[in-house]
Amino acid sequence: MKLFFLLIGLGLIEGSVYAQPAPTRTIRGSVTDADTRKPIPFGNVSLMGLNKGALTDARGQFSLSIKADSLPHALIISCIGYKSDTLAIGYGNNVYTATLLPIVNALNEVVVTGVTRGTLLRQNPVAILAISHKSIETTASSNIIDVLVKNAPGLNAVKTGPNISKPFIRGLGYNRVLTLYDGVRQEGQQWGDEHGVEVDNYNIDRAEVIKGPASLMYGSDALAGVVSMLPMHPKDTEGKIKVGLVTEYQSNNRLLGESISLASGGSRWAWNMRGSIRAATNYQNNVDGRVYNTGFSERTLTTMLGYSGHKGYSRFGASLYDNLQGIPDGSRDSLTRQFTRQVAESDLDDIKHRPIVPASELSSYHLSPLHQRIQHYRLHTNNHYQIGNGEIDVLLAFQQNVRREYNHPTQPEQAGLYVRLNTFNYGLRYNLPNLGRLASTIGVNGMLQSNKNKNGTDFPIPDYRLFDIGSFVFLKYQADKLTLSGGLRYDKRQLTGDDFYVRNDPRTGFDKHATLPDTAGATLQFPRLNQSFTGISASVGVTYEFSEKLALKANIARGYRAPSITEIASNGLDPGAHIVYIGSRNFKPEFSLQEDIGLTATFPDVNVGVSVFNNFIENYISLSQLVDDQGEPVIIVPGNKTYQYQQSSAQLYGFETQFSLHPTSWRGFSFDNSVVVVYGYNRGVRYTDAGTNGEYLPFIPPLRVATGVSQTLSTKRQWLSDVTIKADVDYNARQDRYLGLNDTETATAAYTLVNAGIDGLIHVGKDKPGLRVLFQVNNIFDVAYQSNLSRLKYFEYFTQSPNGRLGMFGMGRNICLKLTIPFN
């Protein structure tokens, strides 16, 4: 920390030296889109040879001062989503105009996640993907994480039904993948299996995915990578109020989605607001019929206010998220395989003789009394300003996550799990003035948390307080063809909590939290918690551009992750997951060492990318089903499995290849392909050569081959444009490398899904924005499949089935229609 404050002081001193008064001239200008002629806000404008720069404001305008007697220089203009440009500055001209071309090749796109300043993808040694607004808008899926999975090779999701997807990167997930919303880490009981990401699915403008340790910038919980979702930001509308509407329907689970947005602003202040609702019944397939208790009802409200000036910008955001989500458990009639429902409490519940769910309830939007409610509230601000010749970023956020899981059929208003998590996030980053070709950044970030059990009856984790802080130094040296970057970070996390007592309430028959001094007859379920974890993260990377068409990347990174609260302190039932978790206070932090090497080739007709990675993790924490001395599953709570966390070493390695063909002579045609494979092994001595009895890690995706073809059609009709016909094939190989120890996982058969669709813009008036229409059919051939990353595959109470199939299968054929309607 002393090093951090010393560097801050040196940066401020250096900035003040540069800022000494001297005869100056002011360079002004504007930056616009070459196609639309609209201004480009928040672009970077810098002077080659001088440590000076500026940001364009909401009108695309910029202003910066240089010494009046300085030699001629050049303006370098770079904006996210556009090809960079360079303008020569002469003595007699102080006003300049730049028009930037939108990028066609993603390798020329500027990314902001995992780096301290906007960086071209081809110059970034870290494996990172950018997902554009158009890709998100023209992909139909059940939730935003599934949309990103379809557009990002190497990204997968562990699913518990259509609306619950948790991102996995290269075989790692949960608290190893950090999810960001507008730069703020998402904190909503991330350890939980049975709820997704609490964001508005219709408000994500674009996304970036880091594949590999990103602990250098974000600290703990980014050991496997980062999924960064960037929402719609306020824009200058010249004082006009802009209205937009999104409406969506999906046939399989009769999903209905509606979203309306309002936006207005001027050259300084701008705002936007969006309200969205989504509701769905139980999804269906040709094996299970409708899968009971997988419906949901979701409502969100998001607003943002933005201020922009010549020296930078500030954004203030607020959001409300409220989701009612079914909790599937997979119980069935043993002969007919029809779904059954729980009607008695656990001690009186006869799982094998539950009543069958009527067809009317299976197809209803009305949720079962056994469901969960997730509420998430967020306030945050992002600020970026020039200070002297440096730049400063300040991030502050407050989040509250309230989670209730209702699992008592005789008292449906009584929550089993009821927890409230408050999180305060903070971050400060300073980009020092460049020293020649060397750019340097120092920063500090972290969070404060407080988790409290409310009026529940099940207590899988204790009340706790968390303080997390980390400081880092990042350096980047850029020559003509060579880019070197790297840094060092130190983190500390402190977890504290008081003794937590539980006793039975004779009035209700359920357990309740007993507080001091009245703990008579109570059991100490969670002893006092006072643990701290520290870790050092580091990264070194190099990119060499043989030419604008060919680049070689290599990166080695050490990542750090402190054990999560459930891994070290859990001792109880999570009713939504139907699992009793048991943690260990003796766990050490995880440390990973990952090597990446990649080659990208970009030609007018073909793009090729190849990436190979190897990741060794020390003190890897995983779950395994608990069994007794006879090998029988330990049942602490009837109808629920018991899992215990364990720790050993692990290794994951694999490769990713991408091949895209888009002939210049065949206008509008694209043929895109990717091949991804990950191998995951438990390197603990006791599991050497154990095969499926412990050698393989859980939730490792199989070989995946994705092929897509699209054709954009030209049309002479004024009312129709940008028509694209597309189809893709998603092949997932058989997975025989699974964690079969204690029947934790089973082998998964191969399957192939075929999808197709068409989208285009319909113009309803002259000079008015087009109405985008998307029609898509997923799983055209109604294939019955199970993903080894689906938790529903393992929701089964029997060891045999009349039809030979156990567990629940994925979604069948799904016809999707989505309309995006902008109004002036």
Side-chain angles (χ1 to χ4, degrees), residues 251-544:
S251 66
N252 186 283
N253 58 352
R254 295 161 56 204
L255 184 150
L256 294 170
E258 303 288 344
S259 180
I260 186 170
S261 64
L262 300 173
S264 182
S267 60
R268 287 289 181 265
W269 292 94
W271 59 270
N272 61 22
M273 180 179 294
R274 179 181 294 273
S276 304
I277 58 173
R278 299 168 72 239
T281 64
N282 302 300
Y283 82 89
Q284 60 185 321
N285 58 59
N286 58 24
V287 173
D288 304 309
R290 290 204 176 272
V291 178
Y292 181 55
N293 231 359
T294 57
F296 59 89
S297 176
E298 180 183 279
R299 296 171 292 175
T300 56
L301 179 63
T302 305
T303 185
M304 192 173 289
L305 175 68
Y307 168 82
S308 63
H310 294 300
K311 293 294 185 178
Y313 63 83
S314 293
R315 292 195 298 264
F316 308 90
S319 63
L320 308 175
Y321 173 95
D322 195 336
N323 182 26
L324 299 177
Q325 180 77 52
I327 304 177
D329 68 359
S331 68
R332 318 219 192 183
D333 178 75
S334 60
L335 296 179
T336 65
R337 295 291 290 171
Q338 292 178 282
F339 286 101
T340 59
R341 60 182 176 181
Q342 182 182 355
V343 294
E345 296 300 332
S346 58
D347 53 344
L348 299 176
D349 182 26
D350 186 350
I351 295 172
K352 296 183 179 181
H353 295 90
R354 291 177 174 178
I356 293 174
V357 181
S360 59
E361 187 172 342
L362 286 172
S363 59
S364 172
Y365 284 98
H366 181 72
L367 293 179
S368 161
L370 306 186
H371 65 274
Q372 59 179 320
R373 184 180 185 185
I374 311 259
Q375 295 168 289
H376 196 90
Y377 310 96
R378 181 190 296 106
L379 294 170
H380 74 284
T381 177
N382 286 296
N383 307 271
H384 178 92
Y385 287 93
Q386 288 181 267
I387 297 181
N389 296 304
E391 298 173 329
I392 190 168
D393 287 273
V394 179
L395 179 149
L396 296 171
F398 173 77
Q399 301 174 74
Q400 182 177 90
N401 185 275
V402 180
R403 179 175 169 187
R404 302 177 184 90
E405 295 178 357
Y406 298 96
N407 64 322
H408 295 297
T410 61
Q411 296 187 33
E413 72 287 349
Q414 173 62 61
L417 179 70
Y418 187 174
V419 288
R420 185 201 65 202
L421 178 67
N422 290 337
T423 304
F424 174 73
N425 306 92
Y426 62 92
L428 174 66
R429 188 171 67 193
Y430 180 63
N431 295 330
L432 281 74
N434 290 350
L435 297 175
R437 296 178 181 269
L438 181 66
S440 54
T441 301
I442 52 180
V444 59
N445 53 31
M447 63 179 175
L448 294 87
Q449 276 190 343
S450 173
N451 186 77
K452 185 174 181 59
N453 285 273
K454 305 291 283 184
N455 183 29
T457 64
D458 299 296
F459 309 98
I461 59 173
D463 295 348
Y464 68 88
R465 298 171 296 277
L466 179 150
F467 175 70
D468 185 87
I469 188 170
S471 58
F472 65 88
V473 178
F474 179 82
L475 302 174
K476 178 182 176 182
Y477 175 84
Q478 190 162 358
D480 293 335
K481 295 184 177 181
L482 180 69
T483 302
L484 296 172
S485 63
L488 191 67
R489 179 186 179 101
Y490 177 78
D491 277 284
K492 182 174 182 179
R493 174 170 290 184
Q494 183 76 29
L495 273 170
T496 60
D498 300 326
D499 288 338
F500 191 98
Y501 291 88
V502 174
R503 69 177 167 209
N504 185 265
D505 185 346
R507 296 174 302 172
T508 64
F510 302 132
D511 286 344
K512 69 174 184 178
H513 179 202
T515 57
L516 291 170
D518 183 17
T519 58
T523 300
L524 179 62
Q525 185 160 333
F526 302 104
R528 183 182 302 273
L529 181 66
N530 187 2
Q531 291 186 257
S532 62
F533 304 96
T534 59
I536 295 176
S537 306
S539 178
V540 177
V542 58
T543 299
Y544 187 80

Side-chain angles (χ1 to χ4, degrees), residues 222-253:
L223 182 139
V226 175
V227 176
S228 176
M229 293 174 287
L230 301 162
M232 308 287 185
H233 290 148
K235 296 180 176 64
D236 181 7
T237 65
E238 299 179 347
K240 299 178 181 177
I241 294 181
K242 303 285 186 178
V243 182
L245 178 67
V246 177
T247 182
E248 180 179 23
Y249 176 75
Q250 298 185 16
S251 66
N252 186 283
N253 58 352

